[in-house]
Amino acid sequence: MADLTCDVAVIGAGTAGIAAERSARAQGAKTLLIDPDFAGTVCANVGCMPSKLLIAAAHRAHDARTAGLFGVSTSVSVDGAAVMARVRAERDAFAAATRAGFDDLPDGTCIRAKARFTGPGELSLDDGRKVAANAIVIATGSDPMVPPPFRDIGGDRVLTNRTVFEQADLPKSLAVIGAGAIGIELAQAFARLGVRVGVFDQGDTIAGARCDAIHDALKAELTKDMDLFLGVDVKPEAVAGGIRLVWDGGDDTFDRVLVATGRPPSLDGLDLSASGLHLDDNGLPDVDPETLRCGDSAIFLAGDANANRPVLHEASTEGAVAGRNAAAFPDLTHATRSPRFTITFTDPPLVSIGQGPDDSAQIGTADYTDQGRAKVEARNVGLAQLYAAAPDGRLIGADLFCPGADHLGHLIAWAVDAGMTASDLLSKPFYHPTVEEGLRGALREICRAVPLDLPGDRDTGNPPGI
C-alpha cells in the first residue's frame, strides 16, 4: 500500500519540474514535487546566471582594453579573486530566490527524496516510502558528461560547469574540451579576463553554427582571443601543477581543463525499465513533443531530461505542457511549439532561429562589417542570414552572428512565429541609426528573390550609415 498518493507526481525540482508542478496544481490536481536537494535550478546555480556574470566581467575588461579606439586611455588590471567572488555572490542570490519559492508551495508538496519506478504509476523513495500517482512527470534535467580519460585524472584540475564557478581565482591557463555553446561562451569570457585559453573539439563546427558564412565569421572573431583546435582527439596526462594535453600535431600544458562535452539526460537511478515504457538503445522513451507524453503511458518527460530542446525557456514551456496534460490525463492538449530559438552568448552573440539554410529557402544577407551603428561602436563584425519560404516570402528562420544578435533574434523569432513575410517586416518602422535597420537589406533581398512587392509607402533607399 502506498504511503503517499497524488494526482500528479513530479520528479525533479528544476525549471521544468517547477513549471510542471505549478501547471498541474493550477488544474486542480493534488501534486507532489520530489527532489533529493531542492537546490534550485541549473540555470541559477551552475548555468545561465553564473556564466553570464562571468561574461559580464569579461565584457568590462574587453571594453576597457579597447577604449583607445575612442581616444580614451585606460590601464586594465583584472583581480581574478574579486571576479569570481562576485560571480558566486550574485549567483547565490539568484539561487536563493529560486529556493525561496519552494516555501510558498502547499504543505506536504515538497518531498525531499530520490525516486525510482517500481511500476507504471508507482514510485519508491530512498527513505522507504511508496508513492502512487495517476500520472508522473519526469523532469530530472541533465548532467555534464566527463569522458573517461579526464574522469580518471580526478582532483580539482578537471572542471565542469558545476565546478568551474567555485574556483577561488582565475587560472593562468585553461583548456576547454568541447566547442559547443557552453564551452565557447566560457572560453571567450576567461580569455578576455586574461587567461590563456585553448579550445579542443573532435568536430569541425563551433557552437552548432548552421551556416558556413556565419561559422567563418564566428571562428575569425574567436581566434582573436584564444587558440582553436578543431577536428582533434586529445589525450590528457596529469603532470606537476596541471594537465598536459597531447593531440595529433601538438601538445601543451594547462593549469585547468574545463570539460564541456555535453549534458546528457539525467535518468540514471530512475529504473525506467520498471515503468512499463518502451526504451530505445540509449535508454530513452519516445516522447511526443506536442504533449510530452511518453508513448501511450501516463508518464511525461519534460525539459533537459528529454534532450529535445535543452534551453531554459523550452524547459519552462515543456514543464507547463507536461503538468497540464498530466493533471488532465487521459485528456491531452497538443501544444503549438514555438520556433527553435537558441542564443550562444559570445561577443557578438550567435543566434539560430527556426529552420536553417537549405536549397528551398530564399536567403537574405545583412553584412555588419560596414553597418553604421556597429561602426560607431567599433563592433562592426559578423553578419545575419534570414531565410524565407517561396512563393510568399514568409520568414522561416535565421542565423545571426552580429552586434545585438540576442535582441535582433527575438524580433525575428517573433516574426517567424507570427508567419510574417519579409515585406511585412519592411513595413514596420526602423529607427536610425540602429543595428535593427541593418536587417533591411536582407529583407529587401528576399523580396526581390521571391519576388515580393516592397511596401509602397516606404523609402527603398538608405540613410547614410545604414
Side-chain angles (χ1 to χ4, degrees), residues 79-283:
D79 183 338
V83 168
M84 299 307 293
R86 180 179 185 268
V87 167
R88 286 190 295 275
E90 295 294 334
R91 180 273 315 267
D92 291 348
F94 285 119
T98 303
R99 290 193 296 270
F102 298 129
D103 297 334
D104 297 330
L105 297 181
D107 290 344
T109 300
C110 295
I111 306 298
R112 189 177 293 271
K114 288 184 178 180
R116 62 180 178 84
F117 282 90
T118 53
E122 302 171 355
L123 300 172
S124 176
L125 306 182
D126 62 355
D127 61 11
R129 289 182 291 176
K130 308 294 183 183
V131 176
N134 295 334
I136 296 172
V137 178
I138 301 170
T140 46
S142 60
D143 284 311
M145 175 182 64
V146 180
F150 294 95
R151 192 186 318 140
D152 295 342
I153 289 176
D156 63 354
R157 286 176 287 187
V158 176
L159 308 171
T160 68
N161 71 297
R162 288 190 174 276
T163 57
V164 67
F165 304 112
E166 302 305 320
Q167 298 298 294
D169 201 345
L170 298 172
K172 287 185 173 57
S173 59
L174 177 72
V176 178
I177 310 300
I182 294 173
I184 286 299
E185 282 186 1
L186 295 179
Q188 189 184 48
F190 277 111
R192 289 188 168 183
L193 288 167
V195 178
R196 181 176 69 85
V197 174
V199 177
F200 302 82
D201 198 291
Q202 293 178 330
D204 296 318
T205 302
I206 303 169
R210 304 183 299 184
C211 161
D212 290 343
I214 296 281
H215 187 267
D216 290 346
L218 171 66
K219 184 176 180 180
E221 189 65 16
L222 292 174
T223 52
K224 295 176 182 177
D225 297 311
M226 67 193 77
D227 295 320
L228 287 174
F229 302 94
L230 303 178
V232 299
D233 285 309
V234 295
K235 294 181 173 55
E237 173 190 355
V239 296
I243 296 178
R244 179 173 176 256
L245 299 182
V246 179
W247 64 96
D248 185 20
D251 70 276
D252 202 348
T253 300
F254 297 87
D255 293 337
R256 296 286 186 273
V257 171
L258 172 63
V259 178
T261 51
R263 294 180 56 87
S266 181
L267 300 174
D268 291 345
L270 288 178
D271 286 351
L272 285 181
S273 58
S275 67
L277 295 174
H278 173 72
L279 305 178
D280 64 18
D281 293 341
N282 295 317

Side-chain angles (χ1 to χ4, degrees), residues 59-84:
H59 284 332
R60 297 302 186 276
H62 180 70
D63 288 346
R65 287 195 190 95
T66 57
L69 290 169
F70 302 92
V72 178
S73 298
T74 184
S75 175
V76 180
S77 109
V78 175
D79 183 338
V83 168
M84 299 307 293

